[in-house]
Amino acid sequence: MTDPEATPARRRPPTIHDVAREAGISRGTVSRVLQGGHNVSPEALKAVNAAIKKTGYVVNRHARSLVTQRSDSVAFLLTEPQDRFFEDPNFGHLLRGCTAALAEHDIPLLLMIAGTEEERRRIGRYITSGHVDGVLLVSSHSGNPMVELLQEARMPVVACGKPLGHATATPYVAADDREGARQLVRHLVQGGRRRVATITGPLDTPGGVDRLSGYREMLAEAGLGYDPALVVEGDYSRASGSAGMDALLRQAPDLDAVFVASDLMADGALAALDRTGRRVPQDVAVGGFDDSAVAASTRPSLTTVRQPWERISGEMVRVLLDLIAGRPPASVILPTELVRRESA
C-alpha cells in the first residue's frame, strides 16, 4: 500500500553519460562537442545535438568555462546615455536581433550601457576581467576611450557602424549610410525640390559623417551646390530634430525639403513644421533614415531609408563568433532601400 505522505523520488538530471548513450558515441566525443565541436564529424555533431534535445541535458556552463577558459557570454555595449536606449527604437531592434542570433548558439547576451565616464570605468573593468568572450559595440563616437581599452585588452569586438579612427583595427557591420543618403536626396531632387536642407546626425559618429557626405554628393551631382545655411547638426534625438528644424527655418525660410538623418529626428522636425504652419509635403518635403516604427506612425507617414536591422544583427554576431574562434575579421557593409511614403 502506497504511503500518501511519502516524498516522491527526485528525478536525476541527465548527464553527459546519458547523452553519449543516447547518441551511441563516446563520452569524449560528446565532451568535444560541448567544448566547441572541434575535430568532430558532422554526423557525430548532429547525433549529439539530437541526444541533448531528447534527454534534456543542460550544459554546466561553469564547468565548461573551467575547461575552455571562456565565459560563454557576449556583451551588447551601448556607449550612449541610458535615456537614449529607451527613446531610440533602433537600439531595441539591434538588441533583439543580436539576442536571437546568439540564442541559436546557446550564448546569452548581456546588455551594458556606458554613457558616462564612471560607467565606462566600471564596465571596462568587468569586460576586461574575462566575464565575456566578446563585445558587440553600438554607437561609438570618435575618441570613445572604450574602443582603445578593448583593443588593448585584445578583446574580440565588432562595431555597429564604422568606428571613426579605428576602422582598420576594429571590424564592423554597417548599412551603406552614404548611398542611403544619396537615395533619399535624389528622390527629393527628382520631385522638383531645389532648396534641400539637412539635419545631420552627430558628426563624431560614422552615420553622421557618411550621411552628410551622401547629401553633399547628391546636391553636387544635381548642380545645386552646398549652402551651409541649409545644414544643422542633430544628435539623433526627437528634441534635436525639432530644434534643428526651427534653426533651419530661421536660417533658410525658403527651403522646400529637408533630409533628416534619423526617423526620430524627422518626427521632431515634422512637429516644428506643423507649429509654423508649413504643410508637408506641399510646402516642405521631409525624408528620414532608418525605417523604424516611428516612420509609419508620423503624420504624414515618413518617406525614409530602410536599414536592414535583422541582417545587421545577424552579421555582427557571425563576425564576432568568427573572431572568438580565432578566424580572421571581415567588415561588412549592407545595402539600404528607399521607402516612399506620404511626406516626400
Side-chain angles (χ1 to χ4, degrees):
M1 188 172 177
T2 304
D3 182 357
E5 296 184 359
T7 302
R10 180 177 296 176
R11 184 175 180 271
R12 177 180 63 84
T15 68
I16 191 173
H17 298 283
D18 299 319
V19 174
R21 188 181 308 110
E22 178 66 32
I25 57 180
S26 71
R27 180 183 178 281
T29 300
V30 174
S31 180
R32 287 197 298 275
V33 170
L34 297 177
Q35 292 173 28
H38 303 293
N39 301 317
V40 177
S41 70
E43 294 78 12
L45 181 62
K46 184 177 180 181
V48 170
N49 287 331
I52 288 174
K53 185 175 181 180
K54 184 172 181 179
T55 61
Y57 175 74
V58 177
V59 176
N60 184 326
R61 291 187 179 277
H62 177 67
R64 185 165 71 176
S65 68
L66 292 176
V67 176
T68 64
Q69 297 299 300
R70 291 182 181 174
S71 69
D72 283 335
S73 62
V74 165
F76 182 97
L77 177 57
L78 177 63
T79 56
E80 293 282 359
Q82 291 189 23
D83 58 348
R84 189 65 54 79
F85 173 75
F86 295 102
E87 181 187 26
D88 193 327
N90 295 333
F91 298 140
H93 282 304
L94 279 172
L95 180 62
R96 285 192 296 273
C98 291
T99 300
L102 284 166
E104 295 179 6
H105 301 272
D106 195 27
I107 298 175
L109 184 64
L110 307 180
L111 170 62
M112 301 180 182
I113 300 178
T116 67
E117 184 177 348
E118 174 56 32
E119 288 171 342
R120 286 192 290 269
R121 283 198 299 267
R122 184 172 63 253
I123 289 173
R125 288 195 301 268
Y126 183 88
I127 288 175
T128 56
S129 296
H131 294 292
V132 297
D133 295 327
V135 175
L136 299 166
L137 181 63
V138 181
S139 190
S140 178
H141 294 253
S142 177
N144 182 355
M146 291 299 297
V147 179
E148 292 185 4
L149 175 67
L150 296 171
Q151 288 178 344
E152 290 171 1
R154 299 181 180 240
M155 174 65 62
V157 179
V158 175
C160 179
K162 181 171 55 181
L164 296 179
H166 298 278
T168 57
T170 302
Y172 61 89
V173 177
D176 194 337
D177 291 303
R178 183 175 304 204
E179 181 56 31
R182 287 171 56 87
Q183 290 173 323
L184 198 292
V185 176
R186 182 186 298 116
H187 174 69
L188 295 173
V189 172
Q190 289 176 345
R193 310 294 172 158
R194 290 296 176 266
R195 291 286 285 167
V196 182
T198 187
I199 302 173
T200 75
L203 295 179
D204 63 347
T205 64
V209 170
D210 286 346
R211 292 171 202 178
L212 177 59
S213 295
Y215 162 83
R216 296 188 65 164
E217 287 174 7
M218 201 62 243
L219 289 184
E221 288 184 20
L224 297 179
Y226 177 76
D227 182 353
L230 291 170
V231 179
V232 297
E233 183 178 352
D235 64 6
Y236 290 141
S237 70
R238 183 180 279 106
S240 76
S242 177
M245 194 70 248
D246 287 337
L248 285 172
L249 291 173
R250 290 193 301 270
Q251 296 167 191
D254 61 336
L255 65 85
D256 59 8
V258 58
F259 161 50
V260 191
S262 82
D263 292 346
L264 200 59
M265 288 198 300
D267 189 27
L270 287 169
L273 288 167
D274 185 62
R275 286 196 304 270
T276 61
R278 306 291 180 103
R279 299 170 301 163
V280 178
Q282 295 90 335
D283 301 324
V284 180
V286 178
F289 203 105
D290 292 329
D291 195 30
S292 65
V294 172
S297 65
T298 60
R299 293 294 176 267
S301 59
L302 189 65
T303 291
T304 187
V305 176
R306 177 175 295 155
Q307 295 203 64
W309 292 115
E310 187 173 341
R311 288 189 63 193
I312 291 172
S313 301
E315 286 297 298
M316 287 179 67
V317 167
R318 181 188 64 78
V319 174
L320 183 62
L321 294 182
D322 280 350
L323 282 174
I324 292 171
R327 291 186 282 272
S331 295
V332 179
I333 297 178
L334 298 169
T336 57
E337 177 187 354
L338 178 66
V339 181
R340 296 174 176 85
R341 294 194 180 95
E342 299 169 349
S343 69

